[in-house]
């Protein structure tokens, strides 16, 4: 294994309560823990069952490759302090203008993801000059829906998608830099 640093953002992006940084080798165990839960199986597009090799490939391969421009997703680690443990991951997919995210189970319920989402959307709107950022989640993922709503996303409804080759219902929302989209609908009940 090389001692060279992993490719990623050179400076942290500061939110109100979180820092968005590059992933590190010492994040691998936390990625395995987060992506091996039943919640991850239901709501993420990660391999299942999720293995340490999957996490190593994500941290050492996929995430740095995005920062080198080898694919269209830029991934940040979410932390509460610069040297703190991995709280979660958030990424921007440039081809679809879309955000995706997850939190480690022990970081959930603290408001960290809403802050990370507002921060990365601000980066997309300000630094990348995206006119809008899209978000999707699988039906039943109320936590993700609450985060998107708290971060100012406008709900657009549901559409059919696929997960691991199976048809699934997805919720869709958008954050538009210029205001509220004309086709916005009320958010469904989130309790």
């Amino acid at each position: 294994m090389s001692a060279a640093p992993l490719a990623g953002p050179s400076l942290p992006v500061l939110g109100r309560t979180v820092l968005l940084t590059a992933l590190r080798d010492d994040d691998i165990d936390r990625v395995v823990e987060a992506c091996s839960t039943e919640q991850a199986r239901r709501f993420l597009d990660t391999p299942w069952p999720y293995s340490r090799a999957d996490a190593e490939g994500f941290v050492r391969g996929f995430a740095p490759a995005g920062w080198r421009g080898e694919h269209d997703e830029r991934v940040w680690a979410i932390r509460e302090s610069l040297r703190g443990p991995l709280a979660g991951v958030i990424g921007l997919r440039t081809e679809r203008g879309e955000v995706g995210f997850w939190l480690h189970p022990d970081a959930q319920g603290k408001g960290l993801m809403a802050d990370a989402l507002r921060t990365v959307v601000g980066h997309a709107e300000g630094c990348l000059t995206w006119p809008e950022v899209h978000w999707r989640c699988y039906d039943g993922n109320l936590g993700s829906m609450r985060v998107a709503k708290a971060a100012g996303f406008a709900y657009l409804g549901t559409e059919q998608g696929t997960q691991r080759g199976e048809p699934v219902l997805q919720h869709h929302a958008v954050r538009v830099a210029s205001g509220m989209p004309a086709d916005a609908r009320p958010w469904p009940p989130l309790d």
Side-chain angles (χ1 to χ4, degrees), residues 81-145:
S81 65
L82 192 56
R83 296 197 185 356
L86 178 74
V89 169
I90 191 164
L92 289 173
R93 298 174 191 110
T94 56
E95 187 176 302
R96 298 188 296 194
E98 189 172 78
V99 64
F101 51 80
W102 56 259
L103 278 177
H104 188 279
D106 69 13
Q108 294 175 6
K110 298 179 177 181
L112 300 177
M113 188 53 78
D115 184 41
L117 183 54
R118 283 188 292 271
T119 301
V120 85
V121 165
H123 175 74
E125 292 173 349
C127 298
L128 303 177
T129 65
W130 287 10
E132 57 189 42
V133 178
H134 293 265
W135 160 92
R136 296 174 202 288
C137 80
Y138 294 119
D139 192 41
N141 193 344
L142 296 178
S144 186
M145 294 174 77

Side-chain angles (χ1 to χ4, degrees), residues 30-82:
R30 299 271 297 171
V31 173
V32 172
E33 291 169 8
C35 294
S36 297
T37 65
E38 177 59 21
Q39 188 178 30
R41 184 196 65 76
R42 287 184 59 207
F43 299 131
L44 299 180
D45 286 326
T46 54
W48 190 261
Y50 197 83
S51 69
R52 181 169 180 81
D54 293 322
E56 289 171 352
F58 177 72
V59 170
R60 295 179 182 151
F62 180 82
W67 287 101
R68 291 189 303 264
E70 296 171 18
H71 59 78
D72 81 323
E73 187 167 353
R74 306 300 181 270
V75 176
W76 288 267
I78 301 167
R79 303 182 196 285
E80 292 183 79
S81 65
L82 192 56

